[in-house]
Amino acid sequence: MTPEPLPDTLPDIGGPAQPLVTCRDLRKHFPVKGGILGRQVATVHAVDGVSFEVRKGETLGIVGESGCGKSTTARLLIGLIPPDQGEIIFDGRQLGEELSLRELRRGIQMVFQDSYASLNPRLTVEDSIAFGPRINGLDRPVERARDMMARVGLEPARFAGRYPHEMSGGQRQRVNIARALAMSPRLVVLDEAVSALDKSVEAQVLNLLNELRRDLGLTYVFISHDLNVVRYISDRVLVMYLGEVVEIGPVDEVYAAQAHPYTASLFAAMPSMDPDRRTLVPPLSGDPPNPIDPPAGCRFHTRCRYGEPICATTKPVLRSFGESRAHCAACHIHDPASGHSLSGKDFMPQGLPR
Ligand code: SF4
């Protein structure tokens, strides 16, 4: 069934073949201030040269440890913070050139992890959802709010007049989703949007997100640390480590055979019911390096069991492989010219040597 467009939906300018969002070489560094004069004493490298595309109609999952730059990337994407460097292109129009920040924010909405802190405690559910459409001059904000409440499974007659403290966590997150959708966005960024929910409620919200994507023709960027949830909802997955993209590819390919040692260790750390997969050896040792002073070369070399001298001096670039060339990893193992002792070995589709 063709999705029914909402009134005031932004037009699809570039057609289905053009990516909805292209990020090129995004960088964001934050100053650390100290001393009695509050001068800058250091710089946190939160996001360093991140490039990726989000295709129309897909769900792109973003995974990685805490502090790897997932949420900063999301905030850059939605225009909440300006990048120090790099380009954001939304449906063929570059932010700051042909596209204003206001237009970008109209086309991309975000749902945050904390459903309670995201809502104004003084506004009813209906007023919260209608607020965005009203101040952006969209058609019939109250009707939109009620339509969205019905779509996310909140009966308007029961919930319209309620306040956030009168609802459960799952119901509040449905309000946040309805509030984002009431703006008729093209892309929704879900930043750990189901992480704080009980497992049964989490499953309901994930199914709801899948239905809404199909019915409204939406595109999602889904940020999570839960690899099972990402597998369930995503078409492609992007893995970040210390502010950089280390692997990206179709979910089935990445989950079947991880090409980057960091991704492989994340998967090895997943709890498993299979006794053959249980081990007393920790898949990953040590803490991530300090983002104030990230290591030279490959940023993972301080924790990688396949690291060799070249890894400490030369930064690996993202290389594609496989028949579709859709699976990419940034690791010297995949560069035959690098001189890494494992490079050139037949590592796919079996994954990394164990
Ligand atoms: Fe490990 Fe070297 Fe690959 Fe980095 S480049 S992940 S240190 S093998």
Side-chain angles (χ1 to χ4, degrees), residues 111-121 128 163-165 167-177 179 191-197 201 205:
V111 178
F112 297 91
Q113 177 175 6
D114 190 335
S115 63
Y116 195 63
S118 305
L119 293 169
N120 185 335
S128 277
Y163 288 89
H165 71 271
M167 305 176 85
S168 69
Q171 289 168 341
R172 278 197 298 267
Q173 203 56 310
R174 285 172 191 262
V175 175
N176 282 311
I177 293 168
R179 191 176 56 165
D191 187 2
E192 301 278 7
V194 296
S195 307
L197 304 179
V201 179
V205 173

Side-chain angles (χ1 to χ4, degrees), residues 260-261 298 300-301 304 306-307 311 316 331-333 340:
H260 193 281
C298 171
F300 189 55
H301 83 262
C304 180
Y306 306 107
C311 304
C331 173
H332 289 305
I333 291 175
H340 193 287

Side-chain angles (χ1 to χ4, degrees), residues 134-185:
R134 190 172 285 134
I135 62 165
N136 280 279
L138 303 191
D139 249 6
R140 300 175 290 114
V142 173
E143 284 81 356
R144 271 175 175 267
R146 291 189 160 247
D147 175 29
M148 282 306 147
M149 287 173 68
R151 282 184 191 263
V152 299
L154 297 173
E155 209 183 307
R158 271 184 68 205
F159 290 95
R162 289 201 191 176
Y163 288 89
H165 71 271
E166 296 172 314
M167 305 176 85
S168 69
Q171 289 168 341
R172 278 197 298 267
Q173 203 56 310
R174 285 172 191 262
V175 175
N176 282 311
I177 293 168
R179 191 176 56 165
L181 299 187
M183 291 292 293
S184 297

